[in-house]
Amino acid sequence: MKCMLCESLSFSHICPNCQETFLTPSIYKRKILNNIEVISFYKYKDIKDLLHTKHTDIGFYIYSILAKNSFSKFAQEFDYPNLITSIAVDDTIDSGYSHTAILNKHLKSKKIKPVFNKLRAKNSVSYSGKSREFRLLNPREFEVSNYKMNNTILVDDIITTGSTLTQAIGSLQKSNKKVLFCLTLADVSIN
Ligand SMILES: [Zn+2]
């Protein structure tokens, strides 16, 4: 196949060279309501075209490459006194795979145990391109299925206003879960 970015022959959708040049992660931090930290690895504008593959045939592969370069590296270096869990926003499968479940899966490490299908939005409204006001007026109504551990990392692919994560945190807290911090691939607010 050909590398999506430089078009040279490659065994992967993005060649090792381009992965190193364009997908070496940074650490961007911001705080959302309830003072919880959100760590992101890329500027949205830098990987926008890659994120847009999420509803296409190659989305699974591109998200796996992004996750391997960022979430996996983070998880390998992450240390904590005890084992904690990670869950993803909207990891229910709609078109063959869930892009946030791919990210979450890549956190599996000595200290992190990902769990799946634990956070379900009862309202499937899309926030893409919508205002903060719209988001507030149309809550996603997250439902938490029980899981063992309390200390949790919350995972999503993109942070825009932070409404989705804030709502998800609220639901987790109601279920007596403690969200230590959130991880996303890309932060739209960083220029
Ligand atoms: Zn390339």
Side-chain angles (χ1 to χ4, degrees), residues 2-58:
K2 281 187 173 172
C3 169
M4 219 185 116
L5 299 176
C6 72
E7 298 196 334
S8 65
L9 282 176
S10 167
F11 288 111
S12 165
H13 285 84
I14 302 173
C15 76
N17 228 340
C18 286
Q19 287 191 38
E20 201 180 318
T21 309
F22 301 110
L23 300 183
T24 298
S26 301
I27 297 280
Y28 302 104
K29 292 180 176 176
R30 81 190 245 196
K31 288 208 167 151
I32 51 173
L33 214 73
N34 21 38
N35 222 22
I36 289 175
E37 194 160 61
V38 182
I39 299 171
S40 304
F41 300 107
Y42 302 106
K43 295 177 182 176
Y44 175 76
K45 60 173 186 181
D46 290 346
I47 59 163
K48 191 171 61 179
D49 293 343
L50 300 177
L51 295 171
H52 284 168
T53 64
K54 95 171 135 183
H55 299 300
T56 71
D57 290 347
I58 60 166

Side-chain angles (χ1 to χ4, degrees), residues 40-118:
S40 304
F41 300 107
Y42 302 106
K43 295 177 182 176
Y44 175 76
K45 60 173 186 181
D46 290 346
I47 59 163
K48 191 171 61 179
D49 293 343
L50 300 177
L51 295 171
H52 284 168
T53 64
K54 95 171 135 183
H55 299 300
T56 71
D57 290 347
I58 60 166
F60 172 85
Y61 302 102
I62 300 300
Y63 266 70
S64 298
I65 291 170
L66 287 167
K68 197 159 53 95
N69 279 276
S70 56
F71 278 63
S72 290
K73 283 182 187 165
F74 178 90
Q76 278 151 28
E77 287 166 23
F78 179 75
D79 201 14
Y80 202 74
N82 46 290
L83 187 68
I84 63 171
T85 194
S86 60
I87 72 172
V89 171
D90 273 346
D91 65 346
T92 45
I93 293 157
D94 49 31
S95 54
Y97 78 98
S98 151
H99 49 277
T100 54
I102 294 173
L103 303 177
N104 191 19
K105 199 182 84 181
H106 281 79
L107 287 177
K108 190 174 178 340
S109 56
K110 282 197 301 268
K111 294 292 182 181
I112 307 172
K113 182 184 187 293
V115 295
F116 300 93
N117 284 311
K118 298 299 183 192

Side-chain angles (χ1 to χ4, degrees), residues 136-171:
L136 288 172
L137 288 171
N138 295 275
R140 307 283 308 276
E141 297 179 48
F142 286 106
E143 218 171 38
V144 180
S145 308
N146 198 30
Y147 56 92
K148 267 189 194 162
M149 285 171 283
N150 285 324
N151 289 332
T152 301
I153 300 173
L154 180 59
V155 172
D156 204 357
D157 58 343
I158 302 166
I159 175 166
T160 311
T161 64
S163 338
T164 300
L165 289 174
T166 302
Q167 291 174 32
I169 290 166
S171 299

